[in-house]
Amino acid sequence: GQNIDQPTEMTATEGAIVQINCTYQTSGFNGLFWYQQHAGEAPTFLSYNVLDGLEEKGRFSSFLSRSKGYSYLLLKELQMKDSASYLCAVTDSNYQLIWGAGTKLIIKP
Amino acid sequence: GAGVSQSPRYKVAKRGQDVALRCDPISGHVSLFWYQQALGQGPEFLTYFQNEAQLDKSGLPSDRFFAERPEGSVSTLKIQRTQQEDSAVYLCASSLAPTGANTGELFFGEGSRLTVL
């Protein structure tokens, strides 16, 4: 079966750095997305990785290792507004998006 | 409009009622997806349209669920004889390109929260 695993919840301190991991097992791979979802709101796009390596975009970076079926989202200089759920999603060989359950990130002052 | 618009935002239905949820995607977007999201979970795929063609409906949980996009723009998700387990947020997302052409970013609507009593 197809599976996306990510931690259920993480806690971090304002101003710090946090890394949210995602491992996947899918039938084929055509890219990995990270989305941010605030409570009661729509998911919004953060990043897309299809090749191995690190993609940096401001305070957020995303890393991919296809051989390990592994990705992480790195958030630097955490702000209170970063409190949200972070969803990992993988596009399989049929170009269907398989979603993880999301990681709820709690930022404390 | 500038983004994906869904209505109603909130719907309360009595068990056995039929409901219709509307999605107005970003103008010109070819791909349209419906997802079901339970509390604390990621979105679960329901169905996919490329323009007016429903190319994948493998995620629809039962024959009580029906979706259409007759003119390749606005889409409606209809749920007949609602059950309590249908209570969830129904998300619509659109993408400029057809899937397979590229794995472009999805733009989500705010969702329709359905509560079946």
Side-chain angles (χ1 to χ4, degrees):
Chain A
Q2 310 211 83
N3 200 45
I4 309 283
D5 284 318
Q6 48 182 135
T8 304
E9 186 174 298
M10 298 182 71
T11 303
T13 305
E14 190 178 14
I17 298 173
V18 70
Q19 177 175 312
I20 303 174
N21 295 325
C22 170
T23 57
Y24 62 89
Q25 292 174 305
T26 55
S27 55
F29 177 84
N30 280 298
L32 184 145
F33 291 85
W34 283 96
Y35 278 77
Q36 180 191 59
Q37 187 175 27
H38 286 98
E41 298 183 10
T44 54
F45 171 83
L46 289 178
S47 67
Y48 170 64
N49 294 67
V50 66
L51 298 176
D52 289 351
L54 187 68
E55 295 276 345
E56 297 188 75
K57 192 186 292 186
R59 295 189 298 115
F60 291 7
S61 303
S62 56
F63 171 83
L64 174 67
S65 168
R66 288 172 295 170
S67 62
K68 296 181 179 178
Y70 167 70
S71 173
Y72 68 72
L73 180 69
L74 190 72
L75 292 77
K76 302 176 185 176
E77 300 167 19
L78 286 169
Q79 302 175 9
M80 297 303 292
K81 67 178 183 180
D82 297 330
S83 292
S85 285
Y86 291 85
L87 297 160
C88 174
V90 172
T91 308
D92 69 9
S93 56
N94 294 320
Y95 291 93
Q96 186 171 125
L97 263 179
I98 312 300
W99 293 83
T103 299
K104 182 178 180 181
L105 178 63
I106 300 168
I107 310 296
K108 295 186 174 179
Chain B
V4 179
S5 177
Q6 291 188 246
S7 62
R9 287 291 313 279
Y10 302 92
K11 175 69 179 177
V12 178
K14 292 183 179 178
R15 192 175 59 181
Q17 274 187 326
D18 297 349
V19 299
L21 309 176
R22 176 190 167 105
C23 172
D24 204 336
I26 294 173
S27 178
H29 276 199
V30 168
S31 295
L32 186 146
F33 299 80
W34 282 100
Y35 290 92
Q36 182 189 61
Q37 187 174 28
L39 190 64
Q41 298 296 314
E44 294 280 345
F45 171 80
L46 293 177
T47 186
Y48 162 66
F49 289 87
Q50 183 174 308
N51 296 309
E52 70 279 4
Q54 188 175 22
L55 298 187
D56 188 344
K57 55 181 180 179
S58 61
L60 296 176
S62 77
D63 59 8
R64 295 187 295 103
F65 286 70
F66 171 78
E68 60 182 5
R69 193 186 185 197
E71 296 177 1
S73 55
V74 171
S75 177
T76 304
L77 176 67
K78 297 178 180 177
I79 309 173
Q80 297 176 323
R81 304 181 303 281
T82 52
Q83 304 293 314
Q84 284 188 321
E85 62 262 28
D86 300 334
S87 296
V89 175
Y90 291 85
L91 292 168
C92 175
S94 70
S95 174
L96 183 61
T99 59
N102 67 56
T103 52
E105 169 186 353
L106 285 181
F107 294 85
F108 283 85
E110 297 284 343
S112 292
R113 181 179 296 276
L114 173 66
T115 304
V116 181
L117 302 177

